[in-house]
Amino acid sequence: MASHGARGRSGGRPTLEEVAARAGVGRGTVSRVINGSPRVSDATRAAVEAAVAELGYVPNTAARALAANRTDAIALVVPEPETRFFAEPYFSDMLKGVGAELSETEMQLLLIFAGSDRERQRLAQYLAAHRVDGVLLVSVHADDPLPDLLAQLEIPAVISGPRSAAETLPSVDSDNYGGARQAVEHLLSRGRSRIAHITGRRDVYGAQRRIDGYRAALSGAGHQVDETLIEAGDFTEEGGRRAMVALLERRPDVDAVFAASDVTAAGARQALREAGRRIPDDVALVGYDDSAIARHLDPPLTSVRQPIEEMGRRMIDLLLTEIADRRPLASRGLERRQLVLATELVPRSSS
């Protein structure tokens, strides 16, 4: 029988990696099959089950957890104040996707806020005690020390969007550049020529890429980029209102606005209405995220849809693969570990 005769290449019990190699799939896929996840095709499930039978692989969850100091817990870390987490649909949609994917496993999810120095110090102590098997980092700023801390502690981690073009950690993001370019090209197609951009936080790489997409759309259409039409925001409603007030003071001739988030667009809408500007007659308005806010504004907001729930699901898939990978973090390549998902413009009557 296979269970008596099969041995791994090392001569010991067959490993998860050897099952994956025999079946021609990744380690994460084998884990999902063994854990009974429905997110595997019938053909893949059959290949994995055949490899398990041929090699005589016997998963021993308890022994594996003890040997690897496993906790069967994952932390979702948000380096933002709790008030922002509950105010912005982006975070709840991300949590929904993460929770849905994790429900197919035996792992527990911990939600941890790290928006203050004290919370960060407490989190560092918690992580140093290796109380979780892996970490999901959402809303990471360029100067955030948490990713480097996780690398030093050799804790598998996945972030929702790279910190820069030279990111070394696995990440899942949407096409911020392409989405922003779509938004501005849409406004140009509506005959708008003085298109302003209210940015997100400049220390967030995704916000930088949206600025790049805004510039590229204008340049591609033969328009010179006017720096007086770019105003700093911070993804918040109040930040959007303040930015719109500043833009109207500096450029009262503005005829369109691309805001870096739907929440920011809601703040800009408030300022436009207070100034007596009609949307879209006087000023067209486009947001980003395609959250519930976009559908409920008056008029309904044109927005760039990013697949936030799917991003959460893919982050979990990637993190489980990272946890199953026994190699040192520094020795792993980045192939297939930095994912970028497509965006889609959803036109509504604000533009």
Side-chain angles (χ1 to χ4, degrees):
M1 295 176 60
S3 59
H4 291 292
R7 288 290 182 271
R9 286 190 294 270
S10 62
R13 289 177 52 161
T15 66
L16 191 74
E17 288 78 5
E18 288 166 345
V19 173
R22 177 68 64 94
V25 299
R27 289 175 294 275
T29 300
V30 175
S31 294
R32 285 193 288 276
V33 171
I34 290 171
N35 289 323
S37 170
R39 290 176 62 81
V40 180
S41 70
D42 291 341
T44 298
R45 187 180 306 280
V48 171
E49 289 174 348
V52 167
E54 291 168 11
L55 292 173
Y57 174 75
V58 179
N60 187 333
T61 304
R64 187 166 65 245
L66 287 171
N69 293 318
R70 287 280 296 274
T71 65
D72 288 331
I74 286 174
L76 175 64
V77 176
V78 184
E80 300 283 356
E82 291 182 42
T83 51
R84 186 181 171 205
F85 179 89
F86 291 109
E88 296 188 28
Y90 174 88
F91 294 108
S92 58
D93 288 346
M94 178 69 72
L95 183 59
K96 191 182 302 181
V98 166
E101 189 71 8
L102 207 56
S103 68
E104 305 296 337
T105 75
E106 298 299 319
M107 305 287 264
Q108 297 295 318
L109 180 65
L110 307 176
L111 177 59
I112 300 176
F113 296 102
S116 68
D117 290 340
R118 182 180 179 186
E119 288 173 335
R120 287 168 184 269
Q121 291 171 4
R122 191 163 59 233
L123 173 61
Q125 294 171 352
Y126 185 83
L127 294 175
H130 289 273
R131 293 178 179 174
V132 295
D133 295 327
V135 172
L136 300 174
L137 272 174
V138 179
S139 187
V140 183
H141 302 164
D143 60 351
D144 197 319
L146 285 175
D148 292 334
L149 172 65
L150 292 167
Q152 291 169 12
L153 294 173
E154 287 279 313
I155 296 176
V158 176
I159 58 179
S160 64
R163 291 166 289 173
S164 71
E167 182 58 70
T168 56
L169 286 178
S171 67
V172 178
D173 202 3
S174 70
D175 183 5
N176 291 290
Y177 175 89
R181 186 162 188 165
Q182 270 187 310
V184 177
E185 287 173 347
H186 166 77
L187 289 168
L188 289 166
S189 74
R190 293 291 195 267
R192 309 294 170 143
S193 59
R194 297 175 297 280
I195 302 170
H197 178 39
I198 301 176
T199 74
R201 289 187 53 155
R202 301 274 188 129
D203 61 350
V204 174
Y205 185 61
Q208 296 172 24
R209 294 299 288 154
R210 290 175 199 179
I211 296 171
D212 293 341
Y214 163 82
R215 293 176 183 276
L218 292 173
S219 297
H223 292 260
Q224 185 173 359
V225 178
D226 187 341
E227 297 298 327
T228 66
L229 286 168
I230 301 176
E231 184 66 25
D234 57 4
F235 292 119
T236 69
E237 184 173 1
E238 178 57 24
R241 190 195 67 79
R242 286 196 307 266
M244 193 69 248
V245 168
L247 280 167
L248 288 172
E249 289 177 354
R250 186 168 67 242
R251 290 297 304 268
D253 61 336
V254 62
D255 64 5
V257 177
F258 165 50
S261 73
D262 291 345
V263 176
T264 295
R269 168 187 170 276
Q270 179 186 350
L272 286 167
R273 289 204 159 179
E274 290 172 353
R277 304 299 179 92
R278 297 168 300 166
I279 302 171
D281 305 67
D282 301 322
V283 181
L285 183 61
V286 175
Y288 202 103
D289 288 337
D290 191 37
S291 63
I293 290 173
R295 298 187 292 277
H296 295 152
L297 283 181
D298 178 25
L301 180 68
T302 296
S303 186
V304 177
R305 176 181 296 162
Q306 56 174 340
I308 301 172
E309 283 190 41
E310 180 63 18
M311 287 165 63
R313 288 180 176 274
R314 299 292 287 273
M315 286 179 72
I316 283 293
D317 280 346
L318 195 49
L319 183 60
L320 292 178
T321 300
E322 290 294 302
I323 291 171
D325 194 332
R326 307 306 301 164
R327 293 174 296 166
L329 294 180
S331 69
R332 305 179 194 177
L334 284 174
E335 298 82 3
R336 299 187 301 278
R337 295 171 66 226
Q338 292 188 334
L339 308 180
V340 178
L341 306 185
T343 57
E344 174 189 1
L345 183 76
V346 182
R348 297 189 179 93
S349 50
S350 71
S351 61

